[in-house]
Amino acid sequence: MANLVITSFTLWLSLVILYATQTMHAMAFWPGGRSTRFYDFKVQTKKITKLCYTKDIVTINEMYPGPVVYAQEDDRVIIRVTNESPYNATIHWHGVRQRLSCWSDGPSYITQCPIQTGQTFTYEFTLLQQKGTLLWHAHVSWLRATVHGAIVVYPKTGVPYPFMYPYEEHIIILGEYWLRDLVQLEQAVLASGGGPPTADAFTINGHPGPNYNCSSDDVYKIDVVPGKTYLLRLINAGLNMENFFAIANHKLTIVEADAEYTKPFSTDRVMLGPGQTVNVLVTANQPIGRYSMGMGPFMSAQNVPFQSIKSVAYFQYLGAMPYSLALPAPLPSFNDNLAVKTVMDGLKSLNPVPVPKEIDSNLFITIGLNVQKCNSKTPQQNCQGVNGGIMAASMNNISFIKPNVSLLEAYYKHIHGYYSEDFPGVPLKFYDFVNGAPNTIPIDTQSVRGTRTKVLEFGSRVQLILQDTGTVTTENHPIHLHGYSFYVVGYGTGNYNPQTANFNLVDPPYMNTIGVPAGGWAAIRFVADNPGVWFMHCHLEIHLSWGLSVVFIVKNGQGELETLPHPPADLPRC
């Protein structure tokens, strides 16, 4: 009898341990968060004077750039956003993988309706297995130009950086400043059918620097101690430009790209497209003095106007005369593709990574610009694109049209009529994409317009070949995928050729935004293991407005941990 009792107790104890183990295993993967960080964001207008001109800009908490979101790996983050501005608002947490939190991703009319004036919406997500530098920004109209800020995710307590611990850390946000109202500017550009005007200034942490009018004292500065090493968290929050960054006489050692550690790589300069982040180490090992931190344009497209005046900040040694002459930062020429390629060639993941070797869904997507026929009765006002056409942009020659509802809500609630699931996995026709694109403008360059999506099975291993086209002009396109990071397994110039393409399946960089080379291609791989509706688009805002985007629908898998949760109660209504 005693043996039976002991045996029964042992069996019961085993079941309890088994259940507890399974429960703990499930909890370990459910993105609940180790600790919780709360933030209160108020979308507010603020009067600001720059470039000899005073205007109202849209901000978060009247800060430009906005407040930094600090957290640790695996933290839960809760951010209440109240819209006190006269404009619609949403916030996108760029690079956050939103594990089972698609409702908090933020792109307007994709995962949510905008937060209207007087409304509040609370974003909640967990930084599951993420650490490093990311950014947040408005994802409606062109408000990103002033509504943006850094996300800094530190490693877990006791976990060191895999590089020399810096003496100090500094956030450097590259941006563009516009004197015009940004909502009105987007509307005016789209109504014109042509391209956007150039930005009025580049900025470093909101400061144009001494090269611009009325800006001799509107300069950002870092005071440094000779001999010390600094970590600079570089972020490009610009609207329509990619940018070079360099510090006079100082090497930049890249140790992280898009919030993933890389093998240390030294360079004289880096190039960041909008949405990209790079962490660099800089050692103050030069004679005591004042050194320029320079930001200048990278423009790979042909015949496109851009702001050519560089923004300057100061990397100033303690002991230097405060108004001493600053040594200039040597930036590459505006169209130096080789400078961009050299840095990209040097990016490798810190350690070998689990790149998907077998592929379930192999997609080939062309990206580029289009010219639509002019059907306006007032072509002088509305058809200012190339050769009197209307500018557009597309993926696989389909220009994405945003609906007037939340696509995620329409998908979740099975509301039909707002989108189709027939985005093609290959171009509708093949030709010499780079050199022989049909360019009898505007006859052969028209794109098809529609809200088309591509459905992916849960758990499918996806390869995307992103191919630039020369229909109007070849150009470096920073393509961002929401909800995922991806392995950049290959890239090159010309048309993609699977027979000659060279892939890195050992230690490719793990990124969320990839600059597809001008007149070239990039190959990325990821596992579709996060259910929801995910936006992929060019991060040049004008290209997004013109339709250079697509939506992936990732279906549910099995069980709670592979299923899109129900929408939050305070989800905004359109």
Side-chain angles (χ1 to χ4, degrees):
M1 186 69 178
N3 286 342
L4 181 61
V5 170
I6 292 171
T7 303
S8 300
F9 176 77
T10 304
L11 178 62
W12 173 81
L13 186 61
S14 300
L15 289 171
V16 168
I17 292 171
L18 178 62
Y19 174 77
T21 303
Q22 290 176 335
T23 306
M24 286 170 64
H25 178 76
M27 286 174 64
F29 285 89
W30 181 263
R34 294 169 64 251
S35 59
T36 303
R37 313 277 173 164
F38 293 93
Y39 288 88
D40 196 17
F41 276 21
K42 288 182 169 55
V43 186
Q44 300 168 326
T45 55
K46 174 185 174 66
K47 200 169 291 296
I48 192 169
T49 300
K50 283 191 186 298
L51 310 176
C52 320
Y53 186 78
T54 300
K55 60 170 284 196
D56 284 330
I57 64 170
V58 183
T59 67
I60 298 296
N61 299 350
E62 296 192 346
M63 296 172 65
Y64 168 66
V68 181
V69 172
Y70 288 103
Q72 277 185 298
E73 181 182 359
D74 291 345
D75 275 356
R76 186 80 170 160
V77 180
I78 298 176
I79 304 175
R80 186 178 68 169
V81 177
T82 303
N83 188 3
E84 298 177 357
S85 82
Y87 305 105
N88 282 344
T90 72
I91 304 292
H92 169 54
W93 317 96
H94 185 112
V96 173
R97 293 180 201 130
Q98 297 293 358
R99 183 73 183 171
L100 296 178
S101 54
C102 189
W103 300 103
S104 287
D105 191 40
S108 60
Y109 302 107
I110 306 298
T111 62
Q112 67 168 97
C113 300
I115 308 166
Q116 297 173 38
T117 304
Q119 286 187 344
T120 296
F121 178 52
T122 301
Y123 294 91
E124 296 188 34
F125 51 85
T126 300
L127 295 159
L128 191 68
Q129 298 175 340
Q130 288 195 261
K131 52 189 174 292
T133 305
L134 297 167
L135 74 152
W136 58 262
H137 60 78
H139 213 303
V140 60
S141 186
W142 287 8
L143 292 182
R144 182 176 90 224
T146 58
V147 182
H148 60 250
I151 302 173
V152 175
V153 188
Y154 290 107
K156 296 175 185 176
T157 304
V159 178
Y161 294 139
F163 46 79
M164 174 196 299
Y165 200 83
Y167 178 71
E168 281 181 354
E169 300 182 358
H170 293 272
I171 295 166
I172 305 284
I173 299 180
L174 312 180
E176 291 171 86
Y177 190 79
W178 306 76
L179 292 174
R180 292 179 62 177
D181 177 285
L182 289 152
V183 173
Q184 294 176 6
L185 178 63
E186 184 199 26
Q187 293 168 349
V189 169
L190 293 179
S192 77
T198 61
D200 295 291
F202 293 128
T203 58
I204 298 176
N205 285 349
H207 301 277
N211 291 341
Y212 294 96
N213 291 336
C214 305
S215 302
S216 58
D217 294 324
D218 199 350
V219 189
Y220 180 71
K221 178 177 64 123
I222 297 174
D223 289 315
V224 299
V225 177
K228 299 296 185 182
T229 296
Y230 294 80
L231 180 69
L232 303 186
R233 298 177 180 270
L234 305 176
I235 297 169
N236 190 341
L239 212 58
N240 289 326
M241 283 297 299
E242 301 179 288
N243 293 98
F244 290 110
F245 176 86
I247 304 178
N249 291 25
H250 288 74
K251 288 281 188 183
L252 311 176
T253 300
I254 299 172
V255 292
E256 177 190 303
D258 280 4
E260 289 291 327
Y261 294 136
T262 63
K263 291 181 173 65
F265 172 66
S266 278
T267 178
D268 293 324
R269 72 277 172 182
V270 292
M271 194 286 286
L272 291 86
Q276 292 185 310
T277 63
V278 175
N279 281 9
V280 298
L281 293 175
V282 183
T283 300
N285 56 7
Q286 297 299 305
I288 288 176
R290 200 181 196 200
Y291 298 86
S292 291
M293 296 190 287
M295 168 196 180
F298 171 56
M299 173 53 74
S300 55
Q302 303 293 314
N303 304 315
V304 175
F306 58 89
Q307 174 59 261
S308 58
I309 300 173
K310 299 175 180 65
S311 180
V312 170
Y314 295 131
F315 193 76
Q316 184 165 308
Y317 285 61
L318 290 177
M321 297 298 291
Y323 293 102
S324 57
L325 191 65
L327 290 171
L331 292 170
S333 63
F334 72 89
N335 58 356
D336 192 340
N337 285 297
L338 183 60
V340 177
K341 181 180 183 301
T342 302
V343 172
M344 193 61 207
D345 286 347
L347 288 184
K348 302 282 190 297
S349 285
L350 181 62
N351 299 306
V353 288
V355 184
K357 304 298 194 297
E358 302 294 323
I359 299 299
D360 304 305
S361 187
N362 201 349
L363 308 177
F364 188 103
I365 298 179
T366 57
I367 55 178
L369 305 185
N370 304 79
V371 183
Q372 313 292 70
K373 288 182 183 177
C374 175
N375 296 315
S376 171
K377 294 178 181 177
T378 53
Q380 295 280 335
Q381 288 78 38
N382 309 120
C383 304
Q384 297 176 19
V386 177
N387 287 3
I390 297 169
M391 299 306 297
S394 63
M395 290 188 169
N396 278 351
N397 212 42
I398 297 164
S399 290
F400 185 83
I401 304 299
K402 276 191 180 181
N404 56 5
V405 300
S406 157
L407 272 186
L408 179 59
E409 216 170 343
Y411 165 68
Y412 183 83
K413 296 179 177 177
H414 306 288
I415 304 171
H416 301 290
Y418 290 105
Y419 67 94
S420 61
E421 297 180 354
D422 56 349
F423 181 85
V426 294
L428 301 178
K429 64 177 180 178
F430 279 79
Y431 50 89
D432 182 346
F433 296 115
V434 175
N435 306 300
N439 53 11
T440 313
I441 297 168
I443 306 304
D444 297 326
T445 61
Q446 293 209 115
S447 56
V448 177
R449 290 159 53 88
T451 309
R452 299 196 190 186
T453 67
K454 180 68 179 176
V455 178
L456 299 173
E457 294 293 329
F458 183 91
S460 58
R461 295 158 294 187
V462 182
Q463 175 173 281
L464 278 180
I465 305 298
L466 298 164
Q467 174 70 59
D468 185 33
T469 60
T471 307
V472 175
T473 174
T474 55
E475 185 171 358
N476 187 293
H477 292 275
I479 302 296
H480 172 51
L481 175 60
H482 289 228
Y484 291 88
S485 290
F486 45 75
Y487 296 107
V488 183
V489 297
Y491 50 89
T493 55
N495 296 297
Y496 171 72
N497 183 344
Q499 307 302 318
T500 58
N502 185 25
F503 279 13
N504 174 8
L505 301 180
V506 177
D507 58 355
Y510 196 46
M511 307 179 79
N512 62 59
T513 306
I514 176 61
V516 179
W521 57 272
I524 66 174
R525 292 185 180 184
F526 64 97
V527 178
D529 58 359
N530 194 9
V533 170
W534 304 108
F535 209 20
M536 185 175 79
H537 61 91
C538 182
H539 223 271
L540 301 174
E541 206 70 13
I542 182 61
H543 292 177
L544 176 58
S545 299
W546 283 342
L548 211 169
S549 52
V550 68
V551 163
F552 291 112
I553 295 176
V554 178
K555 293 164 70 172
N556 287 333
Q558 301 295 317
E560 189 181 14
L561 296 179
E562 298 179 359
T563 301
L564 177 70
H566 59 78
D570 63 341
L571 191 70
R573 298 278 169 260
C574 285

